Amino acid sequence: MKVRLAQLLLEKSYIEGEVVLTSGKKSDYYFDCKQTALHPEGAYLLGNLFLDMLPENISGVGGMTLGADPLVTAVSVVSQVRGRPLPGFIVRKSPKGHGTNQYLEGMANFAPGDRVVLLEDVVTTGGTLLKVIDRVTDAGLVVAGVHCVLDREEGGADTLAARGFVLRAIFTRRDLLAAGSASHEAG
């Protein structure tokens, strides 16, 4: 599954060329995970791989809209199919301004103190994840882990570690390129 996911990510989500990232940093590549996460096979693979990484004692998964939306959905659907149903929640960038005026959507599926894992597509500096952790904690949930598709290895893991969280990634850039080239040579 991991090798096939690497193929899809390199085909659909990995683009070489200079770009400016959300963090403001310049990079020689862009990783648009949504292209793979919104593909049926990509969603299936991501859902399965993330589910396999999750600790047993959690109540669900969530993450910041928009990057985490398809990841959360994929894990939730695959978890149901595999007999380990885990609901999901989405963290808004800002409260919707009406109704319950909350940052988190999907809270009817959770109780205060529930342990959850945050999902993210790409981690660079970890700044966005710190905001998400604060919002999730403020909503009464306990963040039991942080998982991502791609760790760019540009300080995000250290930022999270300083707050007591371990970042677990399906791939680093180096891992992704190695898995993709290995599958290309085998094919």
Side-chain angles (χ1 to χ4, degrees):
M1 280 192 186
K2 197 169 177 179
V3 170
R4 177 59 184 142
L5 178 60
Q7 292 171 330
L8 279 174
L9 288 167
L10 289 171
E11 175 187 324
K12 299 186 174 300
S13 298
Y14 183 85
I15 303 156
E16 292 195 347
E18 190 171 302
V19 294
V20 177
L21 305 172
T22 305
S23 64
K25 289 183 165 190
K26 286 188 178 181
S27 176
D28 62 349
Y29 74 99
Y30 183 66
F31 187 75
D32 184 3
C33 186
K34 290 179 288 301
Q35 302 306 317
T36 300
L38 292 167
H39 181 274
E41 185 182 8
Y44 173 78
L45 294 169
L46 285 162
N48 275 285
L49 288 167
F50 271 135
L51 187 62
D52 289 344
M53 292 169 66
L54 295 175
E56 289 296 322
N57 61 344
I58 64 163
S59 300
V61 294
M64 177 72 88
T65 197
L66 180 70
D69 294 4
L71 305 175
V72 169
T73 301
V75 170
S76 188
V77 169
V78 168
S79 73
Q80 177 66 32
V81 170
R82 288 180 45 188
R84 184 187 171 197
L86 294 171
F89 63 90
I90 299 297
V91 181
R92 293 174 168 275
K93 293 185 183 190
S94 58
K96 63 182 177 178
H98 62 279
T100 58
N101 204 33
Q102 299 294 308
Y103 274 108
L104 274 64
E105 296 293 340
M107 290 303 290
N109 300 311
F110 295 91
D114 278 352
R115 294 170 46 83
V116 297
V117 168
L118 299 180
L119 304 179
E120 182 67 277
D121 52 359
V122 184
V123 175
T124 304
T125 65
T128 299
L129 277 167
L130 293 182
K131 288 181 202 166
V132 174
I133 289 167
D134 290 342
R135 289 179 184 163
V136 170
T137 303
D138 289 347
L141 301 176
V142 175
V143 177
V146 181
H147 297 172
C148 69
V149 178
L150 181 75
D151 176 1
R152 293 178 63 99
E153 297 181 297
E154 295 181 26
D158 293 335
T159 299
L160 291 166
R163 287 274 301 268
F165 297 96
V166 175
L167 178 65
R168 294 191 62 207
I170 295 175
F171 294 107
T172 62
R173 179 187 190 185
R174 187 172 39 253
D175 295 339
L176 177 62
L177 295 175
S181 67
S183 67
H184 182 69
E185 291 167 8

